[in-house]
Amino acid sequence: MPATASQKIHIHPLSNGLTLVAEEMDWLESAAFAFLLPGGCAHEKPQQAGLAALTSEMLQRGAGERDSRQFVSDLENLGADCSSSVSVTHTSFGGSMPQESLPAVLEMYADLLLRPLLPEDQLEDARLSCLQEVRAVEDDLSQRVMQELRRRYYGDPLGRSSQGRVETLESLQHKDVREFVTERMLPNKGILSIAGKINWPQLRDQVENLFGDWRPGLNEQLIETPGERGYEHIQVESNQTLVGIAIDGISYANDDYFQLRGAIGALSDGMSSRLFTEVREKRGYVYSVYAMCHSLRDRGSVIAFAGTTPEHGQDTFDVTWGELARMYSGIEQAELDRLKGRIKRSLIIQQESSPARAGNIALDWYYLQHVRTKEEIQKLIDGLTCNSINNWLAAHPPKNLTVVSLGPQPLQIPAI
Amino acid sequence: MPATASQKIHIHPLSNGLTLVAEEMDWLESAAFAFLLPGGCAHEKPQQAGLAALTSEMLQRGAGERDSRQFVSDLENLGADCSSSVSVTHTSFGGSMPQESLPAVLEMYADLLLRPLLPEDQLEDARLSCLQEVRAVEDDLSQRVMQELRRRYYGDPLGRSSQGRVETLESLQHKDVREFVTERMLPNKGILSIAGKINWPQLRDQVENLFGDWRPGLNEQLIETPGERGYEHIQVESNQTLVGIAIDGISYANDDYFQLRGAIGALSDGMSSRLFTEVREKRGYVYSVYAMCHSLRDRGSVIAFAGTTPEHGQDTFDVTWGELARMYSGIEQAELDRLKGRIKRSLIIQQESSPARAGNIALDWYYLQHVRTKEEIQKLIDGLTCNSINNWLAAHPPKNLTVVSLGPQPLQIPAI
């Protein structure tokens, strides 16, 4: 039981570069897995934007002895609720299920990754599904702002969006998908995490059997073009003005991560936070405002967003940016206390859910090559003081301000 | 542990009509509560639409010794993540937290319900927040369709939407809020459910102390106007056509509920369902389609929804309605097997989460005056056969077809 026993975490590296990371949660009847494969949209050639997403679609359309329909149907019979996603750096698969279904589901995902059918006659359906995603983002003005903000801040390829573009998606061919599978869906640096009620020796042996023969390929070095940063306005005759702000932050992998995360908590977490009380509560016309830490492996940023009516665009930017800048003058004890209460709750709730835990131990391994126990995180949080946070903030003033606005008119942005 | 021990469920009725329903989940470190108070938007006078929502907003702006800011801040310090909602029949409050915070949080909610400040100087802020909700729904075309569908199918007041309307919200006064609290926020038929790591005798005594003196009021009888049913088109020059369909269903309280729910599962749950494979997969222009059971205490409906491009509105309605009508000819064994897999998983996952369980035992008590254990539900599910489902469907053909469409042109709807 989590209340008393220490956490049982297991790490098993396979010789092909895949790492199995598992946590036993004996009091559950469920199990969950997460596959992190280091092939994301950053690995697409520029004229192939959307290929990782299309490949992920195609991988799920039949594998081994099962056609597309059979594959989906068998997962449902096993009570498995599975999903996939593509980020800049990874293609991910994951799911939760009754624990006794785990071995059968892992077998099916070994088929999916090692023996996918990639049926040519389903390429157009898969493409249509990807094109729908592109259109959904186009219709969602706040997503458009955030995509453009990441592109300007991180540059290429780390600022890419996984949906791709209509013109590149329409030009992709079946051989492109096959190539992306061969070259990028590899065990190298891959992570398979499993949390829930498991039998560790059996699980380890099964994973060796299923994935041990998966042959590694070359690790690709990304060639980077830095972001333009600065200010960009997207002219749209909309009924709202949206603004995204990015400045330098640090990665979750950085030892000081929780110093910055603590400050952002005071700024943006919950209804007592500065952004909620100073921006939203006092200004009924601001319908959304938040700030967050955004992490890549070797760098990070602070990203803020606000949505309002066109006549209040400038005022809303000024006060949101004002609060973000003021954060660097320091936070207060009462803010830190509230934050610790929030973190404690979320650690407990997360620790009680197998899918949440599977996702988190995979990310821990990716960022830290180590899985943090609840006690370790609690110790990090307990060690946070206003002093430690404020010293860090004072030593790392905001840099590389990047702003993207969308609406009927541009904003005045300060130079920093 | 849920794997072996039988569930520990406790029921304790207070003399004022409030029922405490609790489930011990000893293996957790969290606890969660849900308050169901039988005062929802169905209890508003017609010219007061939105009053229940405004009252719920005002109730959360300070109580007992705490002003609004202090109340929110103390909840955060306790690590409690709380929320509220208003439905046709209820105003609800709920939250999850580390188990040791539960007594303090219950004390605060006793203040909120029995000693709210309802500060007059915050009425305009609360109203603004309610008006934002109205505008958010207006901007969301699919919500507009579903609201209008419920209104036409259920009539007044059971088909109401909790947001209210701009003109009624603007006319509400502070005394209306005070009256709604006095007349409708009552212990009569109220439910307080708690799930997680609890000490039952202590919890029962604390709830008696906190809520035992809460005085009951009169139970109000709702006066109903039946829905118009039939077809309505909302003319909007949108880039999409949306259509909502309602027919007679049954309540969760009905012994046969799972017969209908099983059939709807075959129709709409998961990627092997009929709506997914026959409508969405074969027609790339249908971006959303689903069907569900909608339950009130003494009646229910089947509600379906589809979203598509304007040129495919008619075709999409025809095939969605076609599949819904075809369902009544019966479902197949393979469909039932998949469904049982899905239900098994969701029962397990739900049983592992204190907030999910608190919500469910409250609803069980509301509908059934009884809390179903996992074993009871499993037995009901195991008892489902194609025969039992198909016999029920054959005896209850679709009735009272109600359709609402939204888009640039109306549809042709069959008469049934």
Side-chain angles (χ1 to χ4, degrees), chain A residues 78-290:
Chain A
L78 288 162
D81 183 24
C82 296
S83 64
S84 66
S85 67
V86 174
S87 71
V88 172
T89 48
H90 290 88
T91 294
S92 306
F93 299 95
S96 61
M97 65 215 74
Q99 55 90 11
E100 67 271 22
S101 294
L102 180 65
V105 171
L106 287 179
E107 257 179 54
M108 291 179 68
Y109 273 83
D111 280 347
L112 183 147
L113 290 166
L114 278 75
R115 291 167 290 281
L117 300 184
L118 306 175
E120 275 205 71
D121 62 355
Q122 295 205 24
L123 184 69
E124 292 314 312
D125 279 354
R127 191 198 310 275
L128 208 55
S129 158
C130 291
L131 286 167
Q132 275 183 7
E133 286 300 309
V134 174
R135 297 208 179 93
V137 171
E138 274 169 12
D139 284 353
D140 183 337
L141 299 181
S142 55
Q143 279 208 59
R144 271 177 69 186
V145 168
M146 291 319 245
Q147 285 201 351
E148 188 55 20
L149 183 69
R150 284 196 302 272
R151 196 191 65 72
R152 279 192 86 86
Y153 179 79
Y154 285 115
D156 191 80
L158 295 179
R160 289 183 186 173
S161 297
S162 61
Q163 290 83 10
R165 298 188 305 277
V166 171
E167 62 278 16
T168 54
L169 275 168
E170 281 177 346
S171 75
L172 291 174
Q173 295 176 25
H174 189 262
K175 71 171 172 47
D176 300 323
V177 171
R178 193 164 282 285
E179 251 180 56
F180 198 79
V181 171
T182 315
E183 291 173 12
R184 301 305 332 152
M185 294 292 104
L186 299 172
N188 324 21
K189 300 191 183 177
I191 300 165
L192 168 58
S193 72
I194 292 168
K197 189 182 181 76
I198 53 169
N199 177 319
W200 168 246
Q202 275 178 25
L203 173 64
R204 185 194 53 209
D205 293 351
Q206 192 201 9
V207 168
E208 272 288 355
N209 283 334
L210 292 175
F211 299 100
D213 294 337
W214 193 3
R215 278 193 300 182
L218 297 172
N219 285 318
E220 198 182 357
Q221 198 65 37
L222 295 175
I223 298 159
E224 283 194 54
T225 315
E228 301 135 85
R229 313 283 168 88
Y231 174 53
E232 175 182 344
H233 177 69
I234 305 171
Q235 185 71 28
V236 175
E237 297 309 313
S238 50
N239 293 320
Q240 47 190 334
T241 288
L242 307 176
V243 54
I245 304 173
I247 51 174
D248 286 0
I250 49 178
S251 168
Y252 180 72
N254 191 304
D255 285 343
D256 287 335
Y257 175 78
F258 283 103
Q259 307 296 340
L260 175 60
R261 182 65 190 81
I264 294 294
L267 180 67
S268 184
D269 290 2
M271 286 172 63
S272 299
S273 69
R274 296 181 183 188
L275 287 181
F276 198 91
T277 57
E278 294 304 312
V279 184
R280 201 169 155 190
E281 219 171 63
K282 291 191 183 161
R283 291 166 179 82
Y285 48 81
V286 181
Y287 64 83
S288 170
V289 62
Y290 66 82

Side-chain angles (χ1 to χ4, degrees), chain B residues 56-311:
Chain B
S56 162
E57 264 292 319
M58 286 295 286
L59 281 172
Q60 294 170 83
R61 291 175 180 253
E65 307 291 312
R66 294 175 178 91
D67 68 9
S68 179
R69 184 72 46 102
Q70 192 67 41
F71 196 90
V72 167
S73 169
D74 284 357
L75 281 179
E76 293 191 357
N77 277 320
L78 288 162
D81 184 23
C82 296
S83 64
S84 66
S85 68
V86 174
S87 71
V88 172
T89 48
H90 289 88
T91 293
S92 306
F93 299 95
S96 61
M97 66 215 73
Q99 55 89 11
E100 67 271 22
S101 294
L102 180 65
V105 171
L106 287 179
E107 257 180 55
M108 291 179 68
Y109 273 83
D111 280 347
L112 183 148
L113 290 167
L114 278 75
R115 290 167 291 280
L117 300 184
L118 306 174
E120 275 204 72
D121 62 355
Q122 294 205 24
L123 184 69
E124 292 314 311
D125 279 354
R127 191 198 311 274
L128 208 55
S129 158
C130 291
L131 286 167
Q132 275 183 7
E133 285 301 310
V134 174
R135 296 206 180 94
V137 171
E138 273 169 12
D139 284 353
D140 183 336
L141 299 181
S142 55
Q143 279 208 59
R144 272 176 68 186
V145 168
M146 291 320 244
Q147 285 200 351
E148 188 54 21
L149 183 69
R150 285 196 301 272
R151 196 191 65 72
R152 279 193 86 86
Y153 178 80
Y154 285 114
D156 191 80
L158 295 179
R160 289 184 187 174
S161 297
S162 62
Q163 290 83 10
R165 298 188 306 277
V166 171
E167 61 279 16
T168 54
L169 275 168
E170 281 178 346
S171 75
L172 291 174
Q173 296 175 26
H174 189 262
K175 70 171 172 49
D176 300 323
V177 171
R178 193 164 282 285
E179 251 180 56
F180 198 79
V181 171
T182 315
E183 291 172 13
R184 301 304 333 151
M185 295 292 104
L186 299 172
N188 324 21
K189 300 191 182 177
I191 300 165
L192 168 57
S193 72
I194 292 168
K197 190 182 181 75
I198 54 169
N199 177 318
W200 168 246
Q202 275 178 26
L203 173 64
R204 185 194 53 208
D205 293 350
Q206 193 200 10
V207 169
E208 272 288 356
N209 283 334
L210 291 176
F211 299 100
D213 294 337
W214 192 4
R215 278 194 299 183
L218 297 172
N219 286 318
E220 198 183 357
Q221 198 65 37
L222 295 175
I223 298 158
E224 283 194 53
T225 315
E228 301 135 85
R229 313 283 168 87
Y231 174 53
E232 175 182 345
H233 177 70
I234 305 171
Q235 185 71 27
V236 175
E237 297 310 312
S238 50
N239 293 319
Q240 47 190 333
T241 287
L242 307 177
V243 54
I245 304 172
I247 51 174
D248 286 0
I250 48 178
S251 168
Y252 180 72
N254 190 304
D255 285 343
D256 288 335
Y257 175 79
F258 282 104
Q259 307 296 340
L260 175 60
R261 182 66 191 80
I264 294 294
L267 180 66
S268 183
D269 290 2
M271 286 172 63
S272 299
S273 68
R274 296 181 182 187
L275 287 181
F276 199 90
T277 57
E278 295 304 311
V279 184
R280 202 170 155 189
E281 220 171 62
K282 291 192 183 160
R283 291 165 178 83
Y285 47 81
V286 180
Y287 64 83
S288 171
V289 62
Y290 66 82
M292 55 177 278
C293 291
H294 183 263
S295 253
L296 294 173
R297 174 74 159 278
D298 62 349
R299 71 198 79 182
S301 60
V302 171
I303 286 186
F305 173 85
T308 186
T309 55
E311 62 269 39

